[in-house]
Amino acid sequence: MAAAFGVSELWDPAVRRDPHPFYDRVRASGGPVPQIDPAGNRLWVVAGHADVLAGLRHPEIGHEVHRRDPDGRQPSPDDLSEAARIEARQLINLDPPDHTRLRGLVSGGFTARAVARLEPWITELADRLIARARRLGHIDAITDLADPVPVNVIAELVGIPEPDRPRFRAWSAAIVSASAEGPAATSAFGAYLDELAAARRAAPADDLITALVVAGDRDDRLDRDELVALVQLLLIAGQETTVDLIGNGLRLLLTHPEQWQALRADPSLAAAVVEETLRFRGPVEIVPPRFAFADIELGGGRIPAYDRVGLSLWGANRDPAVFERPHEFDIHRTDVGRHIAFGYGIHFCLGAHLARLESRIMFERIAEQLPGLRLAIDPAQLDGFRLHHDGLPMRV
């Protein structure tokens, strides 16, 4: 079956523009499909809903392969750059018990009840942004609408002073882009956080930074690299993915006029827009690659021990065995609740409640206050757009 696929097909530019036909073929093949990533590593792509779910909860699939591979060696921190050390300590790259310990330090701030208290503040921020967009008339939906809400909300929760937030936005963009500026951005971020942690020790505040500093100092539950990694991930994940969610939702609504009209007529459909956007074009295509800790059977095929496993959320969320008309964007569908855009199990997205709240408020308020919103370019020009970086020009 694998012979029908190019060895690096997943990274072909045509597939990058629209990977769903590739994932359709992966599901139809009846098993995981091996691909060679740009670094020369073998990645077994899994795209069926049931198979991705099974992979997300499989006891022999995880991140820290050096702990299980008899030939693996965990590099000494002295052998790693600061950027590599921080990346290695991020929650999405850890297994229990470290993952359990670190997630427990921050999970209380992201429960549904804790997040619900932010609704009035987020709504006020959304209204200010929409009022400004109305005055401008011609806007970039990413810069002017999608970006500022998650950036400011997560910074407020973490405890980043407002004057410093533009710097964090720039650092986040550099780190996520994996550009040459990424390591320097990580170092600058770490140095800033060292200063902020010292300030919070001297003058505690009601924010996440203070809580983490106190936990680290009192119980020795958090070292310096873990603190930087945890805050960096919260800021990046809390910004980048929600910006994509809001931007993708606006793009989908305005390229599906009947769906946009339905939301305008009934803004209470905003929550449904969030869920269908997550299913149809969620922010995460493939979960951060994991490893098989032993020879395993998954998706009707065998994955050798210590190979990488690529669990495709995009593939799972377009599986016709689960979703009727999976390639249609439909905010009225009744099966949307089965999507797994936020993952599953111990790595279920920590900020899912917050992302849903921010996006729902934005779609609701935009539908109510900007009913004439429309694309300022031909929809055909959106093919291959990387929304977060290319922007989304619109007229109010």
Side-chain angles (χ1 to χ4, degrees):
M1 296 176 197
F5 292 84
V7 294
S8 301
E9 188 174 343
L10 183 58
W11 289 271
D12 182 275
V15 175
R16 289 295 82 225
R17 285 192 295 273
D18 180 11
H20 291 290
F22 171 82
Y23 292 134
D24 289 344
R25 291 192 296 117
V26 171
R27 285 192 302 271
S29 73
V33 169
Q35 295 281 284
I36 303 299
D37 71 19
N41 301 304
R42 187 163 58 184
L43 177 77
W44 293 86
V45 178
V46 181
H49 188 276
D51 300 330
V52 170
L53 265 181
L56 288 169
R57 57 193 176 201
H58 199 295
E60 292 297 331
I61 294 178
H63 297 87
E64 297 176 277
V65 70
H66 59 264
R67 294 189 177 185
R68 305 289 291 274
D69 182 353
D71 297 322
R73 182 181 73 88
Q74 183 173 13
S76 165
D78 295 335
D79 297 335
L80 298 174
S81 67
E82 181 177 14
R85 293 200 321 269
I86 299 305
E87 182 179 7
R89 302 310 296 160
Q90 289 185 348
L91 273 178
I92 58 173
N93 296 322
L94 294 175
D95 297 322
D98 286 339
H99 177 273
T100 308
R101 170 175 57 88
L102 295 176
R103 186 172 175 122
L105 292 173
V106 295
S107 58
F110 294 91
T111 64
R113 178 176 296 180
V115 164
R117 292 196 293 266
L118 296 171
E119 183 162 357
W121 185 79
I122 297 172
T123 300
E124 181 183 355
L125 174 58
D127 287 345
R128 290 202 309 270
L129 294 170
I130 291 169
R132 179 178 179 273
R134 190 184 297 111
R135 291 193 302 271
L136 291 173
H138 190 287
I139 64 169
D140 179 279
I142 302 301
T143 302
D144 296 314
L145 294 176
D147 192 279
V149 170
V151 168
N152 283 284
V153 171
I154 194 65
E156 187 77 14
L157 278 173
V158 169
I160 307 302
E162 191 168 351
D164 296 337
R165 292 173 190 175
R167 281 196 287 170
F168 273 88
R169 192 71 194 89
W171 290 334
S172 174
I175 293 167
V176 167
S177 69
S179 67
E181 290 77 27
T186 294
S187 294
F189 178 92
Y192 175 89
L193 200 58
D194 290 340
E195 294 178 4
L196 188 59
R200 291 296 187 269
R201 288 187 180 95
D206 183 18
D207 57 34
L208 189 56
I209 291 286
T210 299
L212 292 174
V213 167
V214 169
D217 291 348
R218 181 186 60 211
D219 301 325
D220 195 27
R221 296 169 64 195
L222 192 71
D223 65 30
R224 185 267 181 184
D225 282 357
E226 289 174 336
L227 173 63
V228 175
L230 195 53
V231 175
Q232 183 187 88
L233 180 64
L234 290 175
L235 286 168
I236 291 175
Q239 294 174 23
E240 304 292 329
T241 55
T242 309
V243 173
D244 282 345
L245 174 55
I246 297 170
N248 282 330
L250 289 173
R251 169 183 175 171
L252 288 166
L253 286 167
L254 295 184
T255 54
H256 294 78
E258 71 289 352
Q259 308 288 317
W260 173 229
Q261 177 56 39
L263 178 63
R264 287 168 53 194
D266 182 6
S268 70
L269 288 171
V273 172
V274 174
E275 298 308 314
E276 177 63 349
T277 301
L278 285 165
R279 184 200 70 83
F280 190 84
R281 188 76 171 188
V284 178
E285 180 179 350
I286 296 180
V287 299
R290 305 178 184 192
F291 296 86
F293 291 155
D295 292 347
I296 62 171
E297 299 293 325
L298 184 64
R302 176 180 172 277
I303 298 177
Y306 315 123
D307 272 12
R308 285 172 165 80
V309 184
L311 303 172
S312 173
L313 302 181
W314 281 13
N317 288 334
R318 300 276 191 102
D319 189 337
V322 176
F323 302 100
E324 186 178 355
R325 299 170 287 103
H327 295 302
E328 293 183 23
F329 177 72
D330 180 6
I331 64 174
H332 301 287
R333 68 169 57 247
T334 58
D335 52 17
V336 71
R338 298 185 67 184
H339 79 72
I340 52 173
F342 287 124
Y344 186 86
I346 65 169
H347 287 282
F348 182 82
C349 177
L350 185 66
H353 295 303
L354 183 59
R356 282 179 160 128
L357 177 65
E358 292 170 333
S359 303
R360 190 259 297 166
I361 290 172
M362 286 301 293
F363 293 140
E364 187 177 89
R365 306 303 277 185
I366 288 169
E368 291 175 342
Q369 300 178 36
L370 298 177
L373 191 67
R374 61 195 185 280
L375 289 172
I377 58 174
D378 185 330
Q381 293 179 252
L382 292 174
D383 290 343
F385 248 46
R386 291 153 58 236
L387 281 188
H388 210 129
H389 307 281
D390 294 337
L392 190 59
M394 293 186 177
R395 293 190 182 278
V396 175

